[in-house]
Amino acid sequence: MATIKDVARKAGVSVATVSAVINKSKYVSDDLKQRVQQAIEDLGYRPNRVARSLKRKESNIIGITVTEITNPFYPLMLEGVEDNAINEGYNVMLCTTGDDEEKEYLLLESMIDQGVDGVILATIDDLNSKALKLVQKEGIPHVLINRAPENYTGSLVCVDSYKVGQIATKHLLQLGHTQIGFIGGNRQNSKSREKGYQAMLASHNIPVNPSWIIDGEYSMEKTYEKITKLMQTSRTIPTAFFAASDLMAFGAAKALLDNGYTIPGDISIVGSDNIDFSEDFRVPLTTVDVQKYEIGKLGCELLLNHITRKEEVSHQKIILEPSLVLRESSGAVRKK
Amino acid sequence: MATIKDVARKAGVSVATVSAVINKSKYVSDDLKQRVQQAIEDLGYRPNRVARSLKRKESNIIGITVTEITNPFYPLMLEGVEDNAINEGYNVMLCTTGDDEEKEYLLLESMIDQGVDGVILATIDDLNSKALKLVQKEGIPHVLINRAPENYTGSLVCVDSYKVGQIATKHLLQLGHTQIGFIGGNRQNSKSREKGYQAMLASHNIPVNPSWIIDGEYSMEKTYEKITKLMQTSRTIPTAFFAASDLMAFGAAKALLDNGYTIPGDISIVGSDNIDFSEDFRVPLTTVDVQKYEIGKLGCELLLNHITRKEEVSHQKIILEPSLVLRESSGAVRKK
DNA sequence: TTGAAAGCGGTACCAC
DNA sequence: GTGGTACCGCTTTCAA
């Protein structure tokens, strides 16, 4: 690999001048500029970004943490991030944490040590998260996307999960359902969706049956098990379920279908996320769209703003609007 | 951020000694070792990887290029790569090329300039690919995964696509189908699968009908259109389709379903890839599994071997075995 | 056994 | 306008 010195020698100028023409950082006469450019061309020279990073203390790399990448929700979000990053001349470093706090911390640390200019965190639910504390302590620009602790005051972009719960539940109520179960997991998004669901029921004076609140652990398989068990042990089951993720909705639907129920004939299902395959699930899934791509894209924009204009970092919150996507898994409550 | 100098000062030793204890690169007396470790602890010192990279000319970062990440095939493969990389102390930089040669080249170049120690390429079909030429010219360790040019002689891990075609076609033949269409796209994997399909038909003396070879462009939507058009314009359509990807199989199945055909009653469909959702597609899809996770994992292992043992780089080829996954989209040919 | 110092490949200040 | 050079933070050779 040719270095800046080689270029300088070949062009018969100093390295300072080469650097100046590369970065357009100060005036260089046309003559020298020509010679330098010619030399760069001839040698196929490309600046060593590592050296530049060391000196400038900026790498043009951003990091992103996600819990998992096999849930189709994340690739789309990631695409939003990457599209934006590439456009602005940044590379992206990816870490999958698997919801493991310790792994998350270590991976984040490794990215910081690698010199990332900032990080997008899609894994933070807790204000006391070690990972969050780390970026704060180190003063690394960061924005949370998709997930965020309830009273987080930093920059973030996510969907209004409370509304997700309201929208889904309202839809079910309008179809005449009053016995509506909830399937969620141990994440803030789920909790907010549950609150929206509870509030909507409460506003219609409908009590919630605690045994119809299912912990699906954000897993299709677990949800399948839990719902199967519910059918075996409960005397009555709801006429509808709202799930805090499409994957859990899938699990529930499969369990129901496998036990001879029809959807939506016997039981309605509403998911959330609107992942690509919800449209082509065994029963096309009614769900709530949460603007996955936008979350990633805006999150990246925000981060890049933080990075480039450090001084005017205003803690910005972007809360996106969810919207109902009507498909075939929800229908009028069955007649008794 | 504390630097190595701070540690040295605090411990009352030279930076060389600090470096030695960090890297265990030479003997240091217990006394000094203690003091250094204490100082590191006190300061919360972590070595600057950028500086280390510059000096050592290795970054512990590997790059990976994929064409798209929204096809659920890739996240699993990527997971295989990342799991392995993390375990070995490497971070991964991700680039999505969208099958755009120019973008691919630029992104790859940017990763190299960022100092990646090696790259995994899941985007190469052509021996003359600019991207491939680049890594070869620069002498960057690289391995191709999932996709590869026909006569590629470097390291690679992928599934035997020819066999994929054979297996799928054989299955259909065994069900009594003789009128079998093929849906593919402009990638080497598809071409090999098509060859396997053709060969299997030939060995049964069954001619292939050229109008039943459909270019689905690796897109669900395109395939939907093409199949819809086929139904409108052709007097006869096959009793079965084999598609070179599950996504295209989905597109075909949807088109058929939307036009009143039953699957597999009227027409059988076999996909390839075995993406997660093929199991829960409207009609659970019979498909050919291609060991996505393994491809990524082994590809990463191979690359890391190249990086760490430069001298003994034997060009290694790992060809994985595909296997049929029987589900509900394929059945006996209908009686006339 | 320990440390001084050169140097990785750039950037940017300062002097000419 | 241009170039000499210190320096970014670390590794590694070499001398003491």
Side-chain angles (χ1 to χ4, degrees):
Chain A
M1 247 343 324
T3 75
I4 198 171
K5 279 184 191 164
D6 300 324
V7 176
R9 195 174 312 126
K10 177 134 189 165
V13 300
S14 72
V15 295
T17 300
V18 177
S19 178
V21 352
I22 290 169
N23 300 299
K24 305 189 201 322
S25 51
K26 57 180 180 180
Y27 186 87
V28 177
S29 68
D30 279 348
D31 173 33
L32 291 203
K33 209 184 291 179
Q34 291 297 332
R35 277 156 55 194
V36 168
Q37 272 155 355
Q38 189 59 51
I40 288 177
E41 179 97 352
D42 292 349
L43 293 151
Y45 168 77
R46 300 197 311 271
N48 179 324
R49 317 283 248 95
V50 177
R52 177 180 287 173
S53 297
L54 178 59
K55 182 65 186 173
R56 281 210 196 146
K57 295 177 177 327
E58 63 183 52
S59 61
N60 277 38
I61 302 175
I62 62 169
I64 176 166
T65 63
V66 298
T67 49
E68 73 245 342
I69 197 184
T70 42
N71 177 342
F73 176 91
Y74 290 104
L76 253 184
M77 191 185 77
L78 196 55
E79 193 174 53
V81 170
E82 203 202 335
D83 283 354
N84 203 267
I86 296 295
N87 260 334
E88 304 294 326
Y90 283 77
N91 287 91
V92 358
M93 194 174 273
L94 170 70
C95 285
T96 311
T97 67
D99 249 340
D100 173 341
E101 268 245 46
E102 196 54 28
K103 189 176 175 197
E104 177 184 16
Y105 182 82
L106 260 16
L107 289 175
L108 188 58
E109 202 176 58
S110 78
M111 292 202 295
I112 294 175
D113 294 343
Q114 293 282 17
V116 295
D117 291 337
V119 288
I120 295 177
L121 304 171
T123 48
I124 309 291
D125 259 3
D126 183 356
L127 231 32
N128 294 312
S129 150
K130 279 181 70 183
L132 189 54
K133 291 258 168 71
L134 178 62
V135 285
Q136 288 169 166
K137 195 191 85 208
E138 307 255 340
I140 307 283
H142 56 282
V143 356
L144 308 201
I145 65 176
N146 186 40
R147 300 172 67 175
E150 234 174 339
N151 299 310
Y152 186 65
T153 54
S155 288
L156 112 211
V157 12
C158 56
V159 80
D160 188 335
S161 271
Y162 185 83
K163 271 194 195 159
V164 172
Q166 287 184 305
I167 290 174
T169 310
K170 186 173 175 191
H171 168 62
L172 256 7
L173 288 169
Q174 285 172 339
L175 290 170
H177 295 274
T178 54
Q179 308 187 334
I180 304 175
F182 173 82
I183 303 165
N186 188 28
R187 296 186 190 171
Q188 192 53 49
N189 273 336
S190 175
K191 288 171 194 159
S192 300
R193 286 164 200 195
E194 186 176 345
K195 277 191 192 154
Y197 146 88
Q198 303 247 21
M200 189 52 76
L201 288 185
S203 76
H204 286 247
N205 294 312
I206 298 173
V208 330
N209 181 333
S211 66
W212 292 348
I213 306 285
I214 311 290
D215 180 9
E217 301 178 39
Y218 272 95
S219 148
M220 186 160 153
E221 290 72 25
K222 292 288 180 194
T223 304
Y224 184 95
E225 289 169 20
K226 298 282 180 77
I227 296 292
T228 302
K229 197 166 161 199
L230 180 74
M231 288 184 286
Q232 291 163 351
T233 58
S234 261
R235 253 193 46 248
T236 61
I237 63 171
T239 63
F241 281 105
F242 160 52
S245 82
D246 285 348
L247 247 27
M248 291 190 284
F250 288 172
K254 280 180 79 167
L256 263 7
L257 255 17
D258 285 356
N259 275 272
Y261 289 92
T262 62
I263 297 172
D266 297 321
I267 296 184
S268 287
I269 307 262
V270 176
S272 11
D273 285 352
N274 190 26
I275 62 177
D276 280 353
F277 286 86
S278 58
E279 184 181 346
D280 295 305
F281 184 67
R282 297 188 184 195
V283 180
L285 188 71
T286 294
T287 185
V288 182
D289 184 81
V290 298
Q291 305 203 45
K292 308 163 281 296
Y293 182 88
E294 281 296 307
I295 288 181
K297 179 162 173 290
L298 293 171
C300 189
E301 272 177 27
L302 243 183
L303 179 67
L304 265 22
N305 278 342
H306 284 209
I307 291 173
T308 50
R309 302 194 261 289
K310 282 206 173 68
E311 49 311 5
E312 13 167 335
V313 170
S314 56
H315 288 178
Q316 231 185 109
K317 273 191 184 20
I318 303 182
I319 310 290
L320 267 18
E321 287 296 314
S323 59
L324 187 69
V325 179
L326 230 48
R327 288 198 280 248
E328 300 170 25
S329 68
S330 59
V333 66
R334 66 170 185 273
K335 306 283 172 10
K336 295 272 167 160
Chain B
M1 247 340 326
T3 75
I4 198 171
K5 278 186 193 165
D6 300 323
V7 176
R9 197 174 311 127
K10 177 134 191 165
V13 301
S14 72
V15 296
T17 301
V18 177
S19 178
V21 350
I22 290 170
N23 299 300
K24 305 189 203 320
S25 51
K26 56 180 179 179
Y27 186 87
V28 177
S29 67
D30 281 349
D31 174 35
L32 290 202
K33 210 185 288 179
Q34 290 298 333
R35 276 156 55 195
V36 169
Q37 273 154 355
Q38 189 59 51
I40 288 177
E41 179 97 353
D42 292 349
L43 268 45
Y45 168 77
R46 300 196 313 271
N48 179 325
R49 317 282 249 95
V50 177
R52 176 179 288 175
S53 297
L54 178 58
K55 183 65 190 173
R56 282 208 196 149
K57 297 181 175 325
E58 63 181 51
S59 61
N60 278 38
I61 302 176
I62 62 170
I64 176 166
T65 64
V66 297
T67 48
E68 73 243 341
I69 198 183
T70 42
N71 177 342
F73 176 91
Y74 290 104
L76 252 185
M77 191 185 78
L78 195 54
E79 193 174 52
V81 171
E82 203 202 335
D83 283 354
N84 202 266
I86 296 294
N87 259 333
E88 304 294 326
Y90 284 77
N91 287 90
V92 359
M93 194 175 273
L94 171 71
C95 285
T96 310
T97 66
D99 249 342
D100 173 341
E101 268 245 47
E102 196 53 29
K103 189 176 176 198
E104 177 183 16
Y105 182 82
L106 261 15
L107 288 176
L108 188 57
E109 201 176 59
S110 78
M111 292 203 295
I112 294 174
D113 294 343
Q114 293 282 15
V116 295
D117 292 338
V119 289
I120 295 177
L121 273 7
T123 49
I124 310 291
D125 259 2
D126 183 356
L127 231 32
N128 294 312
S129 149
K130 280 181 70 184
L132 189 54
K133 291 257 168 71
L134 178 62
V135 286
Q136 287 169 165
K137 195 190 86 209
E138 307 255 339
I140 307 283
H142 56 283
V143 357
L144 309 200
I145 65 175
N146 185 42
R147 299 172 66 173
E150 234 174 338
N151 299 311
Y152 187 66
T153 54
S155 288
L156 112 212
V157 14
C158 56
V159 82
D160 187 335
S161 271
Y162 184 83
K163 272 195 194 158
V164 172
Q166 287 183 305
I167 289 175
T169 310
K170 186 174 175 191
H171 168 61
L172 256 7
L173 288 169
Q174 284 172 340
L175 289 171
H177 295 273
T178 55
Q179 307 186 335
I180 305 174
F182 174 81
I183 304 165
N186 188 29
R187 295 187 190 171
Q188 192 52 48
N189 273 336
S190 175
K191 288 171 193 159
S192 300
R193 286 166 199 194
E194 186 176 346
K195 278 190 192 155
Y197 147 89
Q198 303 246 22
M200 188 52 77
L201 288 185
S203 76
H204 286 245
N205 295 312
I206 297 173
V208 328
N209 182 334
S211 65
W212 293 347
I213 306 286
I214 311 289
D215 180 9
E217 301 178 38
Y218 272 94
S219 146
M220 186 160 154
E221 290 71 27
K222 293 289 179 192
T223 304
Y224 185 94
E225 289 170 19
K226 298 282 179 77
I227 296 291
T228 302
K229 197 166 160 200
L230 180 75
M231 288 184 286
Q232 289 162 353
T233 58
S234 261
R235 252 192 48 248
T236 61
I237 62 171
T239 62
F241 281 105
F242 160 51
S245 82
D246 285 348
L247 249 26
M248 291 189 284
F250 288 171
K254 279 180 79 167
L256 263 8
L257 255 15
D258 286 356
N259 276 271
Y261 288 92
T262 61
I263 298 173
D266 296 321
I267 295 182
S268 287
I269 306 262
V270 176
S272 10
D273 285 353
N274 190 26
I275 61 176
D276 279 354
F277 286 86
S278 58
E279 184 181 346
D280 296 305
F281 184 67
R282 297 189 184 195
V283 181
L285 188 72
T286 293
T287 186
V288 182
D289 184 81
V290 297
Q291 305 203 47
K292 309 163 282 294
Y293 182 87
E294 281 297 305
I295 287 181
K297 180 162 171 290
L298 292 171
C300 189
E301 272 176 27
L302 244 182
L303 179 68
L304 264 21
N305 277 342
H306 285 209
I307 291 173
T308 49
R309 302 194 262 290
K310 282 205 174 68
E311 49 309 7
E312 12 166 336
V313 170
S314 55
H315 288 178
Q316 232 185 107
K317 274 190 182 19
I318 302 182
I319 310 291
L320 266 18
E321 288 296 313
S323 58
L324 187 68
V325 179
L326 230 50
R327 287 199 280 249
E328 300 170 25
S329 68
S330 59
V333 65
R334 66 169 184 272
K335 307 282 173 9
K336 292 272 167 158

